[in-house]
């Protein structure tokens, strides 16, 4: 009997029966989840997918009894035969961390910044098992070793801020598996990670759960991750399950129209057929003068022997009307390069030319005028929009700073106009950011970035936190406005499929240097360096059959094989 057959024959370890969740708000009761019935068996991974607001994270929180105080759950939810809905807090505390554990999306908020990581793992152990502190500390070091943290004895004494994003997520996973739980709930565990670290984390979770009998409920909007990791899929829409099935059936043979639309919105990474050749360089007319021009730029943080070289001899240009994708792993220097282009970081060496002028040789008054020609969209619209302001006030702020002579009526008219350009109704102007969805908030951020008709838009991971259909809408809006307004765009991202779809040229960065650059199609379909090839190999695709082949080839290449990844 295969693992899949054994899992199918086993009794469910996590079971939801007609689960409903209602939130009590100032305007009344709002149903978030309705009639959800799901089962996850030992050794099985069930992926819960859907757009933001579909209810998938609420289902995950209800499964572990972590709903907020204004939420009311009905129906049934049980873990290893023990009821969760209606359970006392002491019963839930006993279940959490021992029978069921959770891996959250953002490890920075899941970890205590003031406590060493070894002590945090040891605390999870001693909360559920009567073991001496010394034994728990040794177990914490062993767990760090199991999750692939280098030099675990030393890292156990580190604080979370001293670790990379991928290492922090490994610490969170170590805490989640510390007591050998029967159920692991993973809520967007790889969303904030670059593609190579994402692949490592998925490999780690697979190694830790396959053969152990651990059931996994995976909440994600990344269909490539679903194809790579899940056995079955449940699709949610407006709080209800609209389709379930094996990963092959749902991703390759969807039956519900919503599932089909969701999959159609997934950006597809196109790679070259094996044996095909890189096209020759075609002659093109003389390009226009760059909007931004980085010339042999280096950036050092710190001094003396402790100095870190974040950028090393970086040269790149972005011309009017074009989009340049800046890609690479976390720590590659891509966000630092974007901040240099914005004038937020002064290079240690080299020059930055903005709109034809040397930014750091320009008078302060003129430099402010130059910066009014730049719009910025950041990854997290919640953090970048002031919660105390209305949408209109957020968008109008650049107008007040740089267009002081505009009347209140002119500002209001301009705000309404730019809202319509980003496909939002003018009535949204009086709403608060918290009243909008993630995609709507990101379009408000885009409206604010473009309200001054900038010549350059710098977008730093603007879609990584969005589900695929909302991501598609945001990218369509940027493309439409770029065609209309002609601004240049520096697009920083770790999603190579999005970059391939959206950018004309791509710059691949590694350890503060440019690894290679060129047209997006040529560079990503026919990479010249092993590093770019490894980045492409780590991108999961939304086809479970093809993804299994890619994963096997990637692991073989990492072990010393030479097969190319198709």
């Amino acid at each position: 009997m295969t693992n899949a057959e054994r899992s199918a024959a086993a009794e469910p370890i996590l079971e939801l029966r007609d689960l409903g969740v209602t939130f009590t708000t100032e305007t009344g009761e709002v149903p978030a989840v309705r009639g959800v019935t799901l089962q996850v068996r030992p050794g099985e991974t069930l992926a819960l997918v859907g757009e933001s607001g579909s209810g998938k994270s609420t289902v995950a929180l209800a499964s572990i009894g972590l709903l907020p105080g204004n939420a009311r759950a009905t129906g049934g939810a049980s873990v290893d035969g023990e009821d969760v809905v209606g359970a006392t807090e002491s019963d839930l505390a006993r279940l959490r961390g021992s029978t069921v554990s959770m891996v959250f999306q953002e490890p920075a908020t899941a970890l205590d910044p003031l406590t060493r990581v070894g002590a945090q793992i040891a605390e999870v152990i001693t909360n559920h098992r009567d073991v001496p502190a010394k034994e728990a500390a040794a177990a914490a070091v062993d767990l760090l070793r199991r999750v692939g943290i280098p030099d675990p004895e030393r890292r156990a004494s580190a604080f979370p801020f001293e670790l990379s994003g991928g290492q922090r997520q490994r610490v969170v996973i170590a805490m989640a598996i510390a007591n050998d739980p029967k159920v692991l709930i993973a809520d967007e565990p790889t969303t904030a990670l670059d593609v190579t670290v994402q692949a490592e984390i998925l490999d780690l979770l697979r190694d830790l759960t396959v053969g152990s009998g651990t059931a996994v409920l995976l909440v994600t909007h990344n269909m490539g991750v679903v194809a790579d990791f899940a056995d079955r899929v449940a699709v949610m829409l407006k709080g209800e399950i609209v389709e379930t099935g094996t990963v092959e059936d749902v991703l390759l043979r969807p039956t519900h129209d919503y599932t089909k639309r969701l999959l159609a919105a997934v950006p597809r990474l196109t790679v070259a057929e094996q044996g095909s050749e890189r096209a020759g360089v075609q002659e093109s007319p003389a390009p226009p003068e760059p909007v931004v021009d980085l010339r042999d730029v280096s950036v050092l943080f710190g001094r003396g022997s402790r100095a870190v070289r974040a950028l090393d001899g970086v040269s790149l240009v972005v011309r009017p009307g074009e989009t340049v994708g800046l890609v690479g792993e976390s720590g590659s220097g891509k966000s630092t390069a974007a901040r240099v282009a914005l004038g937020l970081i002064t290079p240690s060496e080299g020059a930055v030319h903005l709109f034809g002028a040397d930014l750091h040789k320009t008078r302060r008054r003129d430099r402010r005028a130059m910066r009014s020609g730049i719009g910025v969209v950041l990854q997290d619209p919640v953090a970048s929009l002031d919660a105390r302001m209305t949408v209109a006030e957020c968008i109008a702020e650049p107008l007040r700073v740089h267009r002081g002579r505009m009347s209140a009526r002119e500002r209001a008219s301009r705000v309404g106009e730019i809202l319509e350009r980003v496909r939002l109704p003018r009535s949204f102007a009086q709403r608060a950011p918290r009243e909008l969805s993630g995609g709507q908030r990101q379009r408000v951020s885009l409206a604010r970035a473009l309200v001054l008709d900038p010549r350059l838009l710098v977008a730093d991971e603007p879609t990584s936190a969005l589900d695929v259909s909302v991501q598609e809408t945001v990218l369509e809006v940027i493309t439409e406005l770029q065609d209309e307004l002609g601004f240049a765009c520096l697009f920083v991202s770790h999603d190579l499929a999005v970059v391939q779809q959206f950018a004309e040229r791509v710059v691949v960065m590694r350890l503060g240097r440019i690894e290679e650059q060129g047209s997006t199609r040529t560079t990503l379909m026919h990479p010249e360096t092993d590093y770019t090839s490894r980045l492409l190999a780590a991108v999961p695709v939304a086809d479970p059959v093809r993804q299994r082949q890619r994963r096997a080839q990637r692991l073989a290449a990492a072990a010393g094989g030479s097969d190319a990844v198709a």
Side-chain angles (χ1 to χ4, degrees), residues 67-393:
L67 289 170
N70 68 329
R72 176 173 53 87
T74 58
S78 61
V79 177
D80 196 23
E82 296 196 49
D83 288 331
V84 174
V85 175
T88 65
E89 189 57 39
S90 61
D91 287 338
L92 290 173
R94 178 176 47 80
L95 275 175
R96 298 182 199 129
S98 57
T99 305
V100 58
S101 291
M102 193 159 188
V103 178
F104 293 95
Q105 174 178 346
E106 181 46 70
T109 57
L111 296 172
D112 183 346
L114 302 179
T115 304
R116 300 179 194 275
V117 297
Q120 295 190 55
I121 300 171
E123 183 181 14
V124 173
I125 297 171
T126 56
N127 281 346
H128 295 278
R129 285 187 274 156
D130 186 15
V131 298
K134 189 173 182 180
E135 184 179 328
V141 171
D142 184 58
L143 283 162
L144 289 175
R145 184 178 293 107
R146 282 180 63 191
V147 299
I149 297 287
D151 195 3
E153 290 83 1
R154 185 172 65 86
R155 291 297 189 183
S157 299
F159 291 97
F161 70 85
E162 297 178 289
L163 305 180
S164 69
Q167 288 174 335
R168 285 195 294 266
Q169 192 63 297
R170 289 171 188 268
V171 171
V172 171
I173 292 170
M175 295 169 66
I177 66 169
N179 293 303
D180 298 319
K182 296 181 179 180
V183 179
L184 186 65
I185 298 175
D187 190 358
E188 301 282 8
T190 62
T191 295
L193 305 176
D194 62 63
V195 289
T196 51
V197 177
Q198 173 180 269
E200 292 170 2
I201 294 297
L202 292 177
D203 288 342
L204 170 63
L205 287 172
R206 189 179 294 106
D207 291 343
L208 292 171
T209 55
V210 170
S212 70
T214 304
V216 180
L217 178 63
L218 172 69
V219 178
T220 184
H221 64 251
N222 189 321
M223 294 300 181
V225 169
V226 173
D228 192 34
F229 193 62
D231 301 304
R232 291 192 302 117
V233 183
V235 183
M236 290 197 70
L237 173 64
K238 296 179 180 178
E240 298 179 347
I241 302 292
V242 297
E243 183 167 0
T244 59
T246 67
V247 65
E248 288 86 358
D249 283 342
V250 174
L251 296 194
L252 300 181
R253 296 174 291 275
T255 58
H256 197 279
D257 286 344
Y258 172 70
T259 310
K260 293 175 183 177
R261 293 198 304 272
L262 207 58
L263 290 168
V266 175
R268 309 285 173 169
L269 181 68
T270 303
V271 295
E273 297 293 331
Q274 293 189 27
S276 62
E277 297 181 357
R278 187 168 182 154
V281 178
Q282 296 181 348
E283 292 188 6
S284 59
E289 287 298 310
V291 171
V292 60
D293 184 357
L294 272 57
R295 302 180 184 179
D296 201 25
V297 166
S298 295
V299 172
L300 272 70
F301 293 129
R303 294 182 178 181
S305 60
R306 302 177 71 90
V308 175
R309 188 172 286 269
L311 293 182
D312 188 1
V314 169
S315 296
L316 66 89
V317 299
V318 188
R319 303 184 189 279
E322 79 165 343
T323 298
V324 174
L326 203 54
V327 304
E329 297 171 291
S330 297
S332 63
K334 56 186 188 294
S335 290
T336 301
R339 288 178 173 86
V340 168
L342 289 168
L344 299 177
I345 295 176
T346 301
S348 308
E349 301 170 10
V352 180
H353 287 250
L354 189 63
F355 312 132
D358 189 324
L359 179 61
H360 299 288
K361 291 182 179 179
T362 306
R363 291 182 303 175
R364 178 172 295 185
R365 184 179 62 185
D366 295 334
R367 195 181 303 171
R368 176 172 172 170
M370 290 168 66
R371 284 174 173 160
S372 71
I374 307 174
V376 183
V377 181
L378 301 176
Q379 176 177 351
D380 185 0
V382 176
S384 62
L385 297 176
D386 192 329
R388 299 166 297 179
M389 293 182 173
T390 64
V391 166
E393 289 169 336

Side-chain angles (χ1 to χ4, degrees), residues 191-198 310-311 316 324-337 379 459-461 464 490-497 499-500 505-517 523-524 529-536 538-539:
T191 295
L193 305 176
D194 62 63
V195 289
T196 51
V197 177
Q198 173 180 269
L311 293 182
L316 66 89
V324 174
L326 203 54
V327 304
E329 297 171 291
S330 297
S332 63
K334 56 186 188 294
S335 290
T336 301
Q379 176 177 351
D460 193 352
E461 302 281 10
S464 65
L490 182 60
F491 188 82
V492 181
S493 180
H494 64 248
D495 191 329
L496 297 184
V499 169
Q500 188 180 61
R505 290 195 301 114
V506 64
V507 177
V508 182
M509 295 195 65
R510 181 191 186 195
L511 300 176
R513 296 182 177 183
I514 292 179
E515 190 79 1
E516 65 176 299
Q517 60 180 309
T523 303
L524 297 187
T529 68
D530 290 340
Y531 175 72
T532 306
S533 296
R534 290 199 301 273
L535 280 181
L536 291 164
V539 178

